[in-house]
Amino acid sequence: MAAADELAFHEFEEATNLLAQTPEATTTRSDQLTPQGHVAVAMGSGGSYGTEDDAEESDKAALLQEEKQQPGFWTFGYYQTFFDVDTSQVLDRIKGSLLPRPGHNFVRHHLRNRPDLYGPFWICATLAFVLAVTGNLTLVLAQKRDPSIHYSPQFHKVTVAGITIYCYAWLVPLALWGFLQWRKGVRERMGPYTFLETVCVYGYSLFVFIPTVVLWLVPIPWLQWLFGALALALSAAGLVFTLWPVVREDTRLAAAVLLSAVVLLHALLAMGCKFYFFQPLPPELLEPPHQATAQPPNIPLPPTLPKSMAT
């Protein structure tokens, strides 16, 4: 009977009362009995269980969030991230802009959600400088061939080239990005690129014009137009192939109008640079032909008197 009483189930009032006061407590089983034969109840300090682990995890998450927090756009650190690229990345993006292929998205394959401003900034600066220099060299070479041409340095071309290139590389992407954002509200399936991605695409698309401008020094008009047409075709094709995955979700009319406007503006930039910096010589640079100085009419001299009469 004693053995049967030992094997019978006993309710321990002490443990029951403790569990009733702290419902989240857990009981632990052990092969070793406590000296009084009571059930051991696992309790945390302060009556809460697992709070220390949760607090530690929340502290780690807060630290990681603070490390990943982006600085404000008014700080230098915000813009520093857009110049954090190495030479291999810039060269890869330049190569991608020079060799556009259908189905090869420049943003997805080369930018990879990390647009930069380093490449577009220096590409625009180099193009503006090369335009101004080659525009002056054109006049120098023309003077070598024709000494009658009067050449004077035209430093204002540096300012004109810089304003034109930088305005085009920033204002046109801004207008394009705004239009795509507006169309996104109309067509919910459209997912336009960010503004910095659009600026990056336009900046790298202008690289092909740098060697083209140098080749425009060749004094053969039809060859100059051929080089310009090839550069325009490569640059515009890169823009169209990049924008097509975004605009194809829109209506056919809107997609056709948008892509036509992109190509037309690109063509206007190329033709404007060609006509302004490599235009035929203006009349003020041509020296007027030397004219013979008019001599006064011959006035007959009075006849000399004979010596006999003079005396």
Side-chain angles (χ1 to χ4, degrees):
M1 294 297 293
D5 293 339
E6 291 179 1
L7 295 177
F9 176 78
H10 298 279
E11 182 177 358
F12 299 95
E13 297 180 358
E14 196 176 311
T16 304
N17 295 334
L18 187 58
L19 289 174
Q21 294 176 2
T22 56
E24 295 181 357
T26 58
T27 59
T28 59
R29 297 181 58 186
S30 177
D31 294 337
Q32 263 186 339
L33 293 176
T34 57
Q36 292 81 10
H38 298 295
V39 176
V41 180
M43 294 182 60
S45 59
S48 59
Y49 307 96
T51 55
E52 293 183 358
D53 295 337
D54 295 340
E56 186 177 355
E57 292 179 359
S58 62
D59 292 341
K60 290 181 180 179
L63 289 175
L64 292 175
Q65 186 175 4
E66 289 179 0
E67 290 178 358
K68 295 180 180 180
Q69 186 177 4
Q70 294 290 338
F73 69 92
W74 59 87
T75 61
F76 179 76
Y78 177 81
Y79 299 97
Q80 188 177 6
T81 57
F82 301 116
F83 290 84
D84 187 16
V85 289
D86 53 18
T87 305
S88 61
Q89 289 177 331
V90 175
L91 292 178
D92 178 70
R93 294 173 181 184
I94 290 175
K95 181 180 177 181
S97 66
L98 292 175
L99 301 173
R101 302 192 303 272
H104 189 81
N105 194 327
F106 180 82
V107 174
R108 303 306 176 204
H109 291 84
H110 297 281
L111 297 186
R112 299 184 182 93
N113 297 325
R114 289 191 59 188
D116 71 285
L117 296 179
Y118 180 86
F121 175 81
W122 286 111
I123 287 174
C124 293
T126 305
L127 179 58
F129 179 77
V130 172
L131 271 174
V133 171
T134 51
N136 281 271
L137 284 178
T138 301
L139 299 177
V140 173
L141 296 177
Q143 187 183 29
K144 295 286 185 180
R145 295 189 300 269
D146 188 0
S148 64
I149 297 176
H150 174 68
Y151 167 73
S152 60
Q154 299 180 346
F155 297 105
H156 66 278
K157 287 187 175 181
V158 180
T159 305
V160 173
I163 293 176
T164 303
I165 298 301
Y166 276 103
C167 287
Y168 179 82
W170 282 91
L171 296 181
V172 174
L174 178 61
L176 177 62
W177 175 77
F179 179 80
L180 291 177
Q181 289 290 334
W182 172 65
R183 295 301 299 176
K184 179 183 178 181
V186 178
R187 310 285 292 187
E188 296 181 355
R189 295 181 59 186
M190 290 182 61
Y193 304 127
T194 63
F195 173 65
L196 290 177
E197 287 176 341
T198 310
V199 172
C200 195
V201 170
Y202 263 83
Y204 281 101
S205 69
L206 296 177
F207 180 83
V208 68
F209 290 105
I210 296 177
T212 303
V213 168
V214 177
L215 292 175
W216 278 347
L217 289 174
V218 178
I220 303 176
W222 67 268
L223 197 57
Q224 293 178 350
W225 285 108
L226 178 62
F227 291 148
L230 291 176
L232 177 61
L234 288 175
S235 185
L239 292 176
V240 171
F241 294 156
T242 303
L243 295 174
W244 173 246
V246 176
V247 301
R248 68 181 177 184
E249 300 295 341
D250 206 340
T251 60
R252 292 185 178 180
L253 179 60
V257 171
L258 179 62
L259 295 180
S260 300
V262 168
V263 176
L264 179 61
L265 290 175
H266 226 53
L268 289 177
L269 176 68
M271 295 179 64
C273 293
K274 175 67 174 64
F275 283 117
Y276 182 81
F277 295 96
F278 300 90
Q279 62 181 344
L281 297 177
E284 59 268 15
L285 297 181
L286 297 176
E287 293 183 350
H290 295 285
Q291 296 179 355
T293 57
Q295 296 181 355
N298 295 328
I299 300 176
L301 298 176
T304 57
L305 296 175
K307 293 181 179 181
S308 58
M309 294 180 63
T311 55

